[in-house]
Amino acid sequence: MADFNQTLLTHHDQAVEAAKRAGQRLTRLLETDEPNLAAAIAETLQRRAYARWWTTLIDHIEDGGTDPATALTDARTTAHDALLTLPIPRSACPYATAEAITVVEATRAFFHDTATLMTSPRRPE
């Protein structure tokens, strides 16, 4: 069980670090007055949303006392339900629409990426 928990922590740490790096790249681009920020903004938003999924999962384990396998199953169920029920992003503001789309993309990525953990030989039975 400790190995599986460590695997989840590693994925969390990697997601948080990727979000941090994306934010730092965006900050550098803003400081240099880069004219094409759209891709950097989208990447930062998506990586942060993705990291939030992992942070919530780890919080359920560390703060909520939930078993890692149960926490992963619960998080995937929540992600799956969100993918089925999230409304199609529509807004008069292009930024709000883009942000909503990145949340959906991050949710889909989390759900997809965690599928292998559900069948991993490291996962306890």
Side-chain angles (χ1 to χ4, degrees):
M1 185 66 75
D3 288 342
F4 187 62
N5 191 40
Q6 185 57 49
T7 298
L8 296 178
L9 284 169
T10 299
H11 283 284
H12 166 264
D13 293 347
Q14 290 170 346
V16 169
E17 186 59 33
K20 187 183 303 181
R21 284 192 312 270
Q24 290 167 344
R25 277 192 302 276
L26 177 58
T27 299
R28 280 193 306 277
L29 291 174
L30 288 167
E31 290 171 347
T32 60
D33 199 27
E34 175 68 32
N36 300 314
L37 296 172
I41 291 170
E43 178 188 13
T44 301
L45 291 171
Q46 193 276 341
R47 292 195 185 271
R48 286 183 178 178
Y50 183 78
R52 278 194 302 272
W53 279 105
W54 284 103
T55 298
T56 299
L57 169 63
I58 296 303
D59 286 350
H60 282 259
I61 295 167
E62 292 181 347
D63 300 335
T66 306
D67 170 78
T70 302
L72 178 60
T73 301
D74 292 348
R76 293 193 82 247
T77 299
T78 302
H80 182 259
D81 292 346
L83 289 170
L84 293 176
T85 61
L86 283 172
I88 296 170
R90 290 188 178 98
S91 173
C93 173
Y95 179 81
T97 300
E99 186 173 18
I101 290 169
T102 61
V103 168
V104 172
E105 290 172 345
T107 302
R108 185 178 296 121
F110 176 80
F111 185 75
H112 178 267
D113 293 350
T114 55
T116 57
L117 295 172
M118 295 297 292
T119 60
S120 170
R122 291 185 219 158
R123 186 176 184 270
E125 297 186 19

